[in-house]
Amino acid sequence: MNLAQNWWEAVVRGFTDTHTTAVPLPALLGILACAVVLSIPRATWRWFGLYVTFVHELGHAYAALMTGRFVHGLRIGLDHSGRLVSSGRGAFGAAWSGFWGYPAPAVVGLCLIAAFAAGRSGAAMSVGALTLLVSLIFLRNLTGILVAVLSAAIAQLLILFATPTAVNYVVLVLGVALSVGGVRDLFKLAGVHTRRRDRLPASDAFILGRTTGVPAFVWLTGFVMVITGCAVASAWLLWGMLTV
């Protein structure tokens, strides 16, 4: 009982406390290196990419809930594939949900970096901890459950035991890594539409084009605009940390 009470108090405290951490150039370069190591080499991307896929699918799920759709389940494959099943009336909800998969990691990454810059990493961690717990109800396969449980467990442990400075650094590293991962997935999607067209049926842009009648390149352009905008904003925030 005391552990649950302490956890809840820590979650609430995350929303009320502010804590800023100076990031000297060597530390920022180290953070960028960590993000690149997580998101670029195949050996590490094999595992971190599962988390990026999880965020991608949660983008679909929460976008569906925003429009009143019912989320039936979410699956994640070890090959970084994912599938969300939702239902509801109206074409807008389906299109809205279908769009917010690929941009989700870049959007979340930007939000985490912005939270760090504003001294609100604690709030970002509290939101993340609660969101990951709620997301457990969506999972319908073993890989997805393992990814979600591990992510949720790490978030709860950080809420309970990490110092504000440690939370700040974790939020910043995760924000940059998700931003890099979102850009990497965008290039992968572009490759599907140019060089690996046999995989088109699995592309969100292709699926949106088929279900809405709006050409796939329009959806691809939308992905590029949102992800590029988030990447530029994230880079601007990181640059600002060097000039403070």
Side-chain angles (χ1 to χ4, degrees):
M1 188 67 176
N2 287 337
L3 182 62
Q5 182 178 352
N6 290 340
W7 172 82
W8 181 247
E9 289 175 353
V11 169
V12 173
R13 189 164 57 249
F15 288 106
T16 58
D17 291 352
T18 59
H19 186 83
T20 57
T21 299
V23 186
L25 179 59
L28 184 57
L29 291 177
I31 288 168
L32 294 174
C34 287
V36 170
V37 167
L38 284 172
S39 300
I40 300 300
R42 288 186 179 182
T44 50
W45 178 250
R46 177 183 179 185
W47 304 109
F48 183 68
L50 291 172
Y51 180 73
V52 175
T53 299
F54 182 40
V55 174
H56 173 123
E57 296 302 327
L58 289 182
H60 287 310
Y62 284 102
L65 293 174
M66 286 173 61
T67 61
R69 293 177 67 83
F70 182 80
V71 176
H72 298 279
L74 185 160
R75 293 174 177 270
I76 297 172
L78 285 173
D79 60 352
H80 297 179
S81 61
R83 183 168 182 253
L84 178 85
V85 178
S86 66
S87 62
R89 295 181 178 179
F92 173 78
W96 181 258
S97 172
F99 178 81
W100 286 105
Y102 276 101
V107 172
V108 174
L110 172 59
C111 290
L112 292 175
I113 295 170
F116 174 90
R120 302 308 303 270
S121 294
M125 186 61 69
S126 293
V127 169
L130 294 172
T131 300
L132 288 169
L133 285 177
V134 171
S135 301
L136 292 174
I137 66 176
F138 299 145
L139 277 299
R140 295 295 183 271
N141 74 319
L142 181 59
T143 301
I145 291 171
L146 289 175
V147 172
V149 168
L150 180 60
S151 301
I154 291 173
Q156 313 318 314
L157 290 173
L158 287 168
I159 284 287
L160 278 169
F161 302 115
T163 65
T165 298
V167 169
N168 277 357
Y169 277 115
V170 169
V171 165
L172 184 56
V173 170
L174 186 58
V176 177
L178 282 172
S179 298
V180 176
V183 173
R184 175 180 174 138
D185 267 353
L186 180 62
F187 278 104
K188 179 181 176 182
L189 179 64
V192 168
H193 283 263
T194 55
R195 301 187 307 275
R196 300 177 179 177
R197 296 183 63 83
D198 57 306
R199 301 184 183 181
L200 273 179
S203 161
D204 286 356
F206 178 84
I207 294 170
L208 284 165
R210 185 179 58 191
T211 57
T212 65
V214 178
F217 79 86
V218 175
W219 299 107
L220 281 171
T221 301
F223 295 158
V224 170
M225 291 177 64
V226 174
I227 293 172
T228 302
C230 288
V232 170
S234 296
W236 179 78
L237 286 170
L238 291 170
W239 178 258
M241 295 175 195
L242 293 178
T243 59
V244 173

